[in-house]
Coordinates of all heavy atoms in Angstrom, one line a residue:
M752 N -16.2 -20.5 -12.2 CA -15.0 -20.0 -11.7 C -14.0 -21.0 -11.7 O -14.2 -22.2 -11.2 CB -15.2 -19.4 -10.3 CG -16.0 -18.2 -10.4 SD -16.4 -17.4 -8.7 CE -15.0 -17.4 -7.8
S753 N -12.7 -20.6 -12.0 CA -11.7 -21.6 -12.0 C -11.0 -21.8 -10.6 O -11.3 -20.9 -9.8 CB -10.5 -21.1 -13.0 OG -9.8 -19.9 -12.5
A754 N -10.3 -22.8 -10.4 CA -9.8 -23.1 -9.1 C -8.8 -22.1 -8.7 O -8.5 -21.7 -7.6 CB -9.2 -24.5 -9.1
Q755 N -7.9 -21.5 -9.8 CA -7.0 -20.6 -9.5 C -7.4 -19.3 -9.0 O -7.0 -18.7 -8.1 CB -6.0 -20.4 -10.8 CG -4.9 -19.4 -10.5 CD -4.1 -19.2 -11.7 OE1 -4.4 -19.8 -12.8 NE2 -3.1 -18.3 -11.7
L756 N -8.7 -18.9 -9.6 CA -9.2 -17.6 -9.2 C -9.9 -17.7 -7.9 O -9.6 -16.8 -7.0 CB -10.4 -17.3 -10.2 CG -11.3 -16.0 -9.8 CD1 -10.4 -14.8 -10.0 CD2 -12.5 -15.9 -10.8
V757 N -10.4 -18.9 -7.4 CA -11.0 -19.1 -6.1 C -9.8 -19.0 -5.1 O -9.9 -18.4 -4.0 CB -11.7 -20.4 -6.1 CG1 -12.1 -20.8 -4.6 CG2 -13.0 -20.4 -6.9
T758 N -8.7 -19.6 -5.4 CA -7.5 -19.6 -4.6 C -7.0 -18.2 -4.5 O -6.7 -17.8 -3.3 CB -6.3 -20.5 -5.2 OG1 -6.8 -21.8 -5.3 CG2 -5.2 -20.6 -4.2
E759 N -6.9 -17.4 -5.5 CA -6.4 -16.1 -5.3 C -7.3 -15.2 -4.6 O -6.8 -14.4 -3.8 CB -6.1 -15.5 -6.8 CG -4.9 -16.2 -7.5 CD -4.7 -15.8 -8.9 OE1 -5.7 -14.9 -9.4 OE2 -3.8 -16.2 -9.6
L760 N -8.7 -15.4 -4.8 CA -9.6 -14.6 -3.9 C -9.5 -14.9 -2.4 O -9.6 -14.1 -1.6 CB -11.0 -14.8 -4.5 CG -11.4 -14.1 -5.8 CD1 -12.7 -14.5 -6.3 CD2 -11.2 -12.6 -5.7
T761 N -9.3 -16.2 -2.2 CA -9.2 -16.7 -0.8 C -8.0 -16.0 -0.3 O -8.0 -15.5 1.0 CB -9.1 -18.2 -0.7 OG1 -10.3 -18.8 -1.4 CG2 -9.0 -18.7 0.7
I762 N -6.8 -16.0 -0.9 CA -5.6 -15.4 -0.3 C -5.9 -13.9 -0.2 O -5.4 -13.4 0.9 CB -4.5 -15.7 -1.3 CG1 -4.0 -17.2 -1.2 CG2 -3.1 -14.9 -0.9 CD1 -3.1 -17.6 -2.3
L763 N -6.5 -13.3 -1.1 CA -6.8 -11.8 -0.9 C -7.5 -11.6 0.3 O -7.2 -10.6 1.2 CB -7.4 -11.3 -2.2 CG -7.8 -9.8 -2.1 CD1 -6.6 -8.9 -2.1 CD2 -8.8 -9.4 -3.2
V764 N -8.7 -12.3 0.6 CA -9.6 -12.1 1.7 C -8.8 -12.3 3.0 O -8.9 -11.6 4.0 CB -10.9 -13.0 1.6 CG1 -11.6 -12.9 2.9 CG2 -11.8 -12.4 0.5
L765 N -8.0 -13.5 3.1 CA -7.2 -13.8 4.3 C -6.2 -12.7 4.5 O -6.0 -12.4 5.8 CB -6.7 -15.2 4.1 CG -7.6 -16.4 4.2 CD1 -6.8 -17.7 3.8 CD2 -8.3 -16.5 5.4
A766 N -5.5 -12.2 3.5 CA -4.6 -11.2 3.6 C -5.1 -9.9 4.3 O -4.6 -9.2 5.1 CB -3.9 -10.9 2.3
A767 N -6.3 -9.7 3.7 CA -7.1 -8.4 4.2 C -7.4 -8.6 5.7 O -7.2 -7.7 6.5 CB -8.4 -8.1 3.4
F768 N -8.0 -9.7 6.1 CA -8.3 -9.9 7.6 C -7.0 -9.9 8.5 O -7.0 -9.4 9.4 CB -9.0 -11.3 7.7 CG -10.4 -11.2 7.4 CD1 -11.0 -12.1 6.4 CD2 -11.3 -10.3 8.0 CE1 -12.3 -12.1 6.1 CE2 -12.7 -10.3 7.6 CZ -13.1 -11.1 6.7
V769 N -6.0 -10.6 8.0 CA -4.8 -10.6 8.8 C -4.1 -9.2 8.9 O -3.6 -8.7 9.9 CB -3.6 -11.6 8.1 CG1 -2.2 -11.4 8.8 CG2 -4.1 -13.0 8.3
G770 N -4.1 -8.6 7.8 CA -3.6 -7.1 7.8 C -4.4 -6.2 8.8 O -3.7 -5.5 9.6
F771 N -5.7 -6.3 8.8 CA -6.5 -5.5 9.7 C -6.2 -5.9 11.0 O -6.1 -5.0 11.9 CB -8.0 -5.8 9.3 CG -8.8 -5.1 10.3 CD1 -9.1 -3.6 10.1 CD2 -9.5 -5.6 11.3 CE1 -9.9 -3.0 10.9 CE2 -10.3 -5.0 12.2 CZ -10.5 -3.6 11.9
E772 N -6.0 -7.2 11.3 CA -5.8 -7.6 12.7 C -4.5 -7.1 13.2 O -4.2 -6.6 14.3 CB -6.0 -9.1 12.8 CG -7.4 -9.6 12.9 CD -8.1 -9.0 14.0 OE1 -7.6 -9.1 15.1 OE2 -9.3 -8.8 13.8
V773 N -3.5 -7.2 12.3 CA -2.1 -6.7 12.7 C -2.1 -5.2 12.9 O -1.5 -4.7 13.9 CB -1.1 -7.1 11.6 CG1 0.3 -6.5 11.9 CG2 -0.9 -8.6 11.6
I774 N -2.6 -4.5 12.0 CA -2.6 -3.0 12.1 C -3.4 -2.4 13.3 O -3.1 -1.6 14.0 CB -3.1 -2.3 10.8 CG1 -2.2 -2.7 9.8 CG2 -3.3 -0.9 10.9 CD1 -0.7 -2.3 9.8
S775 N -4.6 -3.1 13.6 CA -5.4 -2.6 14.7 C -4.7 -2.8 16.1 O -5.1 -2.2 17.1 CB -6.7 -3.3 14.7 OG -6.7 -4.7 14.9
K776 N -3.8 -3.8 16.2 CA -3.1 -4.0 17.4 C -1.8 -3.2 17.7 O -1.2 -3.3 18.6 CB -2.7 -5.4 17.5 CG -3.9 -6.5 17.3 CD -4.6 -6.8 18.6 CE -5.6 -8.0 18.4 NZ -6.8 -7.6 17.8
V777 N -1.4 -2.3 16.6 CA -0.3 -1.5 16.8 C -0.5 -0.4 17.8 O -1.4 0.4 17.7 CB 0.2 -1.1 15.4 CG1 1.4 -0.1 15.6 CG2 0.6 -2.1 14.5
P778 N 0.4 -0.2 18.8 CA 0.2 0.9 19.7 C 0.6 2.3 18.9 O 1.2 2.4 17.9 CB 1.3 0.8 20.7 CG 2.0 -0.6 20.5 CD 1.5 -1.1 19.2
T779 N 0.1 3.3 19.5 CA 0.1 4.7 18.9 C 1.6 5.0 18.7 O 1.9 5.6 17.7 CB -0.7 5.6 19.8 OG1 -1.9 5.2 19.9 CG2 -0.7 7.0 19.1
L780 N 2.4 4.7 19.7 CA 3.8 5.1 19.7 C 4.5 4.5 18.5 O 5.6 5.1 17.9 CB 4.5 4.6 20.9 CG 5.9 5.1 21.2 CD1 6.0 6.5 21.2 CD2 6.5 4.5 22.4
L781 N 4.1 3.4 17.9 CA 4.7 2.7 16.8 C 4.2 3.2 15.4 O 4.7 2.6 14.4 CB 4.7 1.3 17.0 CG 5.4 0.7 18.1 CD1 5.2 -0.9 18.2 CD2 6.9 1.0 18.0
H782 N 3.1 3.9 15.3 CA 2.5 4.2 14.1 C 3.6 5.0 13.1 O 3.6 4.7 11.9 CB 1.2 5.3 14.3 CG 0.1 4.4 14.6 ND1 -1.1 4.5 13.8 CD2 -0.2 3.5 15.5 CE1 -1.9 3.7 14.3 NE2 -1.5 3.1 15.4
T783 N 4.3 5.9 13.6 CA 5.3 6.7 12.7 C 6.3 5.7 12.1 O 6.5 5.8 10.9 CB 6.0 7.8 13.5 OG1 5.0 8.8 14.0 CG2 6.9 8.5 12.5
P784 N 7.0 4.8 13.0 CA 7.8 3.8 12.2 C 7.2 2.9 11.3 O 7.7 2.7 10.2 CB 8.6 3.1 13.4 CG 8.3 4.0 14.6 CD 7.1 4.8 14.3
L785 N 6.0 2.4 11.7 CA 5.2 1.6 10.8 C 4.9 2.4 9.5 O 4.9 1.7 8.4 CB 4.0 1.1 11.4 CG 3.1 0.1 10.7 CD1 3.8 -1.1 10.5 CD2 1.8 0.0 11.4
M786 N 4.4 3.6 9.5 CA 4.1 4.4 8.4 C 5.5 4.6 7.4 O 5.3 4.5 6.1 CB 3.5 5.7 8.6 CG 3.1 6.6 7.6 SD 1.6 5.9 6.7 CE 0.4 6.3 7.8
S787 N 6.5 4.7 8.0 CA 7.8 4.9 7.2 C 8.0 3.5 6.5 O 8.4 3.5 5.4 CB 8.8 5.2 8.1 OG 8.7 6.5 8.8
G788 N 7.9 2.5 7.2 CA 8.1 1.1 6.5 C 7.0 0.8 5.4 O 7.4 0.4 4.3
T789 N 5.8 1.4 5.6 CA 4.8 1.2 4.6 C 5.1 2.0 3.5 O 4.9 1.5 2.2 CB 3.4 1.5 5.2 OG1 3.2 0.7 6.3 CG2 2.3 1.2 4.2
N790 N 5.5 3.3 3.7 CA 6.0 4.2 2.5 C 7.0 3.5 1.6 O 7.1 3.5 0.4 CB 6.4 5.5 2.9 CG 5.2 6.3 3.5 OD1 4.1 6.1 3.1 ND2 5.6 7.2 4.3
A791 N 8.1 2.9 2.3 CA 9.1 2.1 1.6 C 8.5 1.1 0.7 O 8.9 0.8 -0.5 CB 10.2 1.7 2.5
I792 N 7.6 0.2 1.3 CA 6.9 -0.8 0.5 C 6.3 -0.4 -0.7 O 6.3 -0.8 -1.7 CB 6.0 -1.7 1.5 CG1 7.1 -2.5 2.5 CG2 5.3 -2.7 0.6 CD1 6.2 -3.2 3.6
H793 N 5.5 0.7 -0.4 CA 4.7 1.3 -1.5 C 5.6 2.0 -2.6 O 5.1 2.0 -3.8 CB 3.6 2.2 -1.0 CG 2.4 1.5 -0.5 ND1 2.2 1.4 0.8 CD2 1.4 1.0 -1.0 CE1 1.1 0.6 1.1 NE2 0.5 0.3 -0.1
G794 N 6.6 2.4 -2.2 CA 7.6 2.9 -3.2 C 8.0 1.8 -4.2 O 8.1 2.0 -5.3
I795 N 8.3 0.6 -3.7 CA 8.6 -0.4 -4.4 C 7.4 -1.0 -5.3 O 7.7 -1.3 -6.5 CB 9.0 -1.8 -3.6 CG1 10.3 -1.4 -2.8 CG2 9.2 -3.1 -4.3 CD1 10.6 -2.4 -1.6
V796 N 6.2 -0.9 -4.8 CA 5.1 -1.2 -5.6 C 4.9 -0.2 -6.8 O 4.6 -0.7 -7.9 CB 3.7 -1.1 -4.7 CG1 2.5 -1.1 -5.5 CG2 3.8 -2.2 -3.8
V797 N 5.2 1.0 -6.6 CA 5.2 2.1 -7.7 C 6.2 1.8 -8.7 O 6.0 1.7 -9.9 CB 5.4 3.5 -7.1 CG1 5.6 4.5 -8.2 CG2 4.2 3.9 -6.3
V798 N 7.4 1.4 -8.3 CA 8.4 1.0 -9.3 C 8.0 -0.2 -10.2 O 8.1 -0.3 -11.3 CB 9.8 0.8 -8.5 CG1 10.8 0.2 -9.5 CG2 10.4 2.1 -8.0
G799 N 7.5 -1.2 -9.3 CA 6.9 -2.4 -10.1 C 5.9 -2.0 -11.1 O 5.7 -2.6 -12.2
A800 N 5.0 -1.2 -10.7 CA 3.9 -0.8 -11.5 C 4.3 0.0 -12.7 O 3.8 -0.3 -14.0 CB 2.9 0.1 -10.7
I801 N 5.3 0.7 -12.6 CA 5.9 1.5 -13.6 C 6.5 0.4 -14.7 O 6.5 0.6 -15.9 CB 7.0 2.5 -13.3 CG1 6.2 3.6 -12.5 CG2 7.8 3.0 -14.5 CD1 7.1 4.6 -11.7
L802 N 7.2 -0.5 -14.2 CA 7.9 -1.5 -15.0 C 6.9 -2.3 -15.8 O 7.1 -2.6 -16.9 CB 8.9 -2.4 -14.1 CG 10.1 -1.7 -13.5 CD1 10.7 -2.8 -12.6 CD2 11.0 -1.3 -14.6
V803 N 5.9 -2.7 -15.1 CA 4.7 -3.5 -15.7 C 4.0 -2.7 -16.8 O 3.9 -3.1 -18.0 CB 3.8 -4.1 -14.8 CG1 2.5 -4.7 -15.4 CG2 4.5 -5.2 -13.9
A804 N 3.7 -1.5 -16.4 CA 2.9 -0.6 -17.4 C 3.8 -0.1 -18.6 O 3.4 0.0 -19.6 CB 2.4 0.7 -16.7
G805 N 5.1 0.0 -18.4 CA 6.0 0.4 -19.4 C 6.6 -0.6 -20.3 O 7.5 -0.3 -21.1
R806 N 6.4 -2.0 -20.1 CA 7.0 -2.9 -20.8 C 6.4 -2.8 -22.3 O 5.3 -2.5 -22.6 CB 6.9 -4.2 -20.2 CG 5.5 -4.9 -20.4 CD 5.5 -6.2 -19.6 NE 4.1 -6.6 -19.5 CZ 3.5 -7.5 -20.3 NH1 4.3 -8.2 -21.2 NH2 2.2 -7.8 -20.2
A807 N 7.4 -3.3 -23.3 CA 7.0 -3.3 -24.6 C 5.9 -4.4 -24.9 O 6.0 -5.5 -24.3 CB 8.3 -3.5 -25.5
G808 N 5.0 -4.0 -25.8 CA 4.0 -5.0 -26.2 C 2.8 -5.4 -25.1 O 2.2 -6.2 -25.2
A809 N 2.7 -4.4 -24.2 CA 1.7 -4.6 -23.2 C 0.3 -4.3 -23.8 O 0.1 -3.4 -24.7 CB 1.9 -3.7 -22.0
D810 N -0.7 -5.1 -23.5 CA -2.1 -4.9 -24.0 C -2.7 -3.7 -23.3 O -2.2 -3.2 -22.3 CB -2.9 -6.2 -24.0 CG -3.0 -6.7 -22.4 OD1 -2.3 -6.2 -21.7 OD2 -3.9 -7.5 -22.3
T811 N -3.9 -3.3 -23.7 CA -4.6 -2.1 -23.2 C -4.9 -2.5 -21.8 O -4.9 -1.4 -20.9 CB -5.9 -1.9 -24.0 OG1 -5.5 -1.7 -25.4 CG2 -6.5 -0.6 -23.5
L812 N -5.4 -3.6 -21.3 CA -5.7 -3.8 -19.9 C -4.6 -3.7 -19.1 O -4.7 -3.1 -17.9 CB -6.4 -5.2 -19.8 CG -6.8 -5.6 -18.3 CD1 -7.9 -4.7 -17.8 CD2 -7.2 -7.1 -18.3
T813 N -3.4 -4.2 -19.5 CA -2.2 -4.1 -18.7 C -1.8 -2.6 -18.4 O -1.5 -2.1 -17.3 CB -1.1 -4.9 -19.3 OG1 -1.4 -6.2 -19.5 CG2 0.2 -4.8 -18.5
L814 N -1.9 -1.8 -19.5 CA -1.7 -0.3 -19.5 C -2.6 0.5 -18.5 O -2.0 1.2 -17.7 CB -1.6 0.2 -20.8 CG -0.5 -0.2 -21.8 CD1 -0.8 0.4 -23.2 CD2 0.8 0.2 -21.3
V815 N -3.8 0.0 -18.6 CA -4.8 0.7 -17.8 C -4.6 0.3 -16.3 O -4.5 1.3 -15.4 CB -6.2 0.4 -18.2 CG1 -7.2 0.9 -17.2 CG2 -6.5 1.1 -19.7
V816 N -4.5 -1.0 -15.9 CA -4.3 -1.4 -14.6 C -2.9 -0.8 -14.1 O -2.8 -0.4 -12.9 CB -4.3 -2.9 -14.5 CG1 -4.0 -3.3 -13.1 CG2 -5.8 -3.3 -14.9
G817 N -2.0 -0.9 -14.9 CA -0.6 -0.4 -14.6 C -0.6 1.1 -14.2 O -0.1 1.6 -13.3
F818 N -1.4 1.9 -15.1 CA -1.5 3.3 -14.8 C -2.2 3.6 -13.5 O -1.8 4.4 -12.7 CB -2.4 4.0 -15.9 CG -2.8 5.4 -15.6 CD1 -1.8 6.4 -15.9 CD2 -4.0 5.7 -15.4 CE1 -2.1 7.8 -15.6 CE2 -4.3 7.1 -15.2 CZ -3.3 8.0 -15.2
F819 N -3.3 2.9 -13.2 CA -4.0 3.1 -12.0 C -3.2 2.7 -10.8 O -3.3 3.2 -9.7 CB -5.3 2.3 -11.9 CG -6.4 3.1 -12.7 CD1 -7.0 2.6 -13.8 CD2 -6.7 4.4 -12.3 CE1 -7.9 3.4 -14.6 CE2 -7.7 5.1 -12.9 CZ -8.4 4.6 -14.0
A820 N -2.3 1.6 -11.0 CA -1.5 1.1 -9.9 C -0.4 2.3 -9.6 O -0.2 2.5 -8.5 CB -0.7 -0.1 -10.2
V821 N 0.0 2.9 -10.6 CA 1.1 3.9 -10.4 C 0.4 5.1 -9.7 O 1.0 5.7 -8.7 CB 1.7 4.4 -11.7 CG1 2.5 5.6 -11.5 CG2 2.5 3.3 -12.4
V822 N -0.7 5.5 -10.2 CA -1.5 6.7 -9.6 C -1.8 6.4 -8.1 O -1.5 7.2 -7.2 CB -2.7 7.0 -10.4 CG1 -3.7 8.0 -9.7 CG2 -2.3 7.6 -11.7
L823 N -2.4 5.2 -7.8 CA -2.9 5.0 -6.4 C -1.7 4.8 -5.5 O -1.7 5.1 -4.3 CB -3.8 3.8 -6.4 CG -5.2 4.0 -7.2 CD1 -6.0 2.7 -7.2 CD2 -6.0 5.1 -6.5
G824 N -0.7 4.0 -6.0 CA 0.5 3.8 -5.2 C 1.2 5.1 -4.9 O 1.7 5.3 -3.8
T825 N 1.3 6.1 -5.7 CA 2.0 7.3 -5.6 C 1.1 8.2 -4.7 O 1.7 8.8 -3.7 CB 2.0 8.2 -6.9 OG1 2.9 7.3 -7.9 CG2 2.7 9.4 -6.7
A826 N -0.2 8.1 -4.7 CA -1.0 8.9 -3.8 C -0.9 8.2 -2.4 O -0.9 9.1 -1.4 CB -2.5 8.7 -4.3
N827 N -0.7 7.0 -2.3 CA -0.5 6.3 -1.0 C 0.8 6.7 -0.4 O 0.9 7.0 0.8 CB -0.6 4.9 -1.1 CG -1.0 4.2 0.2 OD1 -1.1 4.8 1.2 ND2 -1.1 2.9 0.2
V828 N 1.9 6.8 -1.2 CA 3.2 7.2 -0.7 C 3.2 8.6 -0.3 O 3.7 9.0 1.0 CB 4.3 6.9 -1.7 CG1 5.6 7.6 -1.4 CG2 4.6 5.6 -2.1
V829 N 2.7 9.4 -1.0 CA 2.6 10.9 -0.6 C 1.7 11.2 0.6 O 2.2 11.9 1.5 CB 2.0 11.8 -1.9 CG1 1.8 13.2 -1.5 CG2 3.0 11.8 -3.0
G830 N 0.6 10.5 0.6 CA -0.2 10.6 1.9 C 0.4 10.1 3.0 O 0.3 10.6 4.1
G831 N 1.2 9.0 2.9 CA 1.8 8.5 4.1 C 3.0 9.4 4.5 O 3.1 9.5 5.8
F832 N 3.7 10.1 3.7 CA 4.7 11.0 4.0 C 4.1 12.2 4.8 O 4.6 12.9 5.7 CB 5.5 11.4 2.9 CG 6.6 10.4 2.7 CD1 6.7 9.8 1.4 CD2 7.6 10.1 3.5 CE1 7.6 8.9 1.1 CE2 8.6 9.3 3.3 CZ 8.7 8.6 2.1
V833 N 2.8 12.7 4.2 CA 2.2 13.8 4.8 C 1.7 13.4 6.3 O 2.0 14.2 7.2 CB 1.0 14.3 4.0 CG1 0.1 15.2 4.8 CG2 1.5 14.8 2.6
V834 N 1.2 12.3 6.4 CA 0.7 11.8 7.8 C 1.9 11.8 8.6 O 1.9 12.1 9.9 CB 0.0 10.5 7.7 CG1 -0.4 9.9 9.0 CG2 -1.4 10.8 6.9
T835 N 3.0 11.1 8.3 CA 4.1 10.9 9.0 C 4.7 12.3 9.5 O 5.0 12.5 10.6 CB 5.3 10.1 8.2 OG1 4.7 8.8 8.0 CG2 6.5 9.9 9.1
D836 N 4.8 13.3 8.6 CA 5.3 14.6 8.9 C 4.4 15.3 9.9 O 4.9 15.9 11.0 CB 5.2 15.5 7.6 CG 6.0 16.8 7.8 OD1 7.0 16.8 8.4 OD2 5.4 17.8 7.6
R837 N 3.1 15.1 9.7 CA 2.2 15.7 10.8 C 2.3 15.0 12.2 O 2.2 15.7 13.2 CB 0.7 15.5 10.4 CG 0.3 16.5 9.2 CD -1.1 16.3 8.9 NE -1.9 16.9 9.9 CZ -3.2 16.8 10.0 NH1 -3.9 16.2 8.9 NH2 -3.9 17.2 11.0
M838 N 2.5 13.7 12.2 CA 2.7 13.0 13.5 C 3.9 13.5 14.1 O 4.0 13.7 15.4 CB 2.7 11.5 13.3 CG 1.3 11.0 12.9 SD 1.3 9.3 12.8 CE 1.4 8.8 14.4
L839 N 5.0 13.6 13.3 CA 6.3 14.1 13.9 C 6.2 15.5 14.5 O 7.0 15.9 15.3 CB 7.5 13.9 12.8 CG 7.8 12.4 12.6 CD1 8.8 12.3 11.4 CD2 8.4 11.7 13.7
E840 N 5.4 16.4 13.8 CA 5.2 17.6 14.3 C 4.7 17.8 15.7 O 4.9 18.7 16.4 CB 4.4 18.5 13.2 CG 5.0 18.8 12.0 CD 6.1 19.9 12.2 OE1 6.0 20.8 13.0 OE2 7.1 19.7 11.4
M841 N 3.9 16.8 15.9 CA 3.2 16.7 17.4 C 4.3 16.6 18.4 O 4.2 17.0 19.6 CB 2.3 15.6 17.5 CG 1.0 15.8 16.6 SD -0.3 14.6 16.9 CE 0.4 13.1 16.9
F842 N 5.5 16.0 18.1 CA 6.5 15.7 19.1 C 7.5 17.0 19.3 O 8.3 16.8 20.1 CB 7.2 14.5 18.8 CG 6.5 13.2 18.9 CD1 5.9 12.6 17.7 CD2 6.0 12.8 20.1 CE1 5.1 11.4 17.8 CE2 5.3 11.6 20.2 CZ 4.9 11.0 19.1
K843 N 7.6 17.9 18.4 CA 8.3 19.0 18.6 C 7.9 20.0 19.7 O 6.6 20.1 19.8 CB 8.4 19.7 17.2 CG 9.1 19.0 16.0 CD 9.2 19.8 14.8 CE 10.0 18.9 13.8 NZ 10.2 19.7 12.6
Q844 N 8.8 20.6 20.3 CA 8.4 21.6 21.3 C 7.8 22.9 20.8 O 8.4 23.5 19.9 CB 9.7 21.8 22.2 CG 10.2 20.6 22.8 CD 9.3 20.1 23.9 OE1 8.5 20.9 24.5 NE2 9.4 18.7 24.2

């Protein structure tokens, strides 16, 4: 394994642990604003995935990974909006 791959895997694992710790400490009252912010970030991820997958001269691996990034990012955005809508419905009289 190259040093760059080990560094990238280390960053990925540390980001997963930090993300879990941050999200698990969020109070219930802040979940809706947090979900809205997450939806905005994933919208940017979807646009980036479309740009990467749609560039000229992309190899097959780039197209496949870009396609899955678009599909999974879109599912995450739509699911986030559904969850946010359901949470906001709980506060209506």
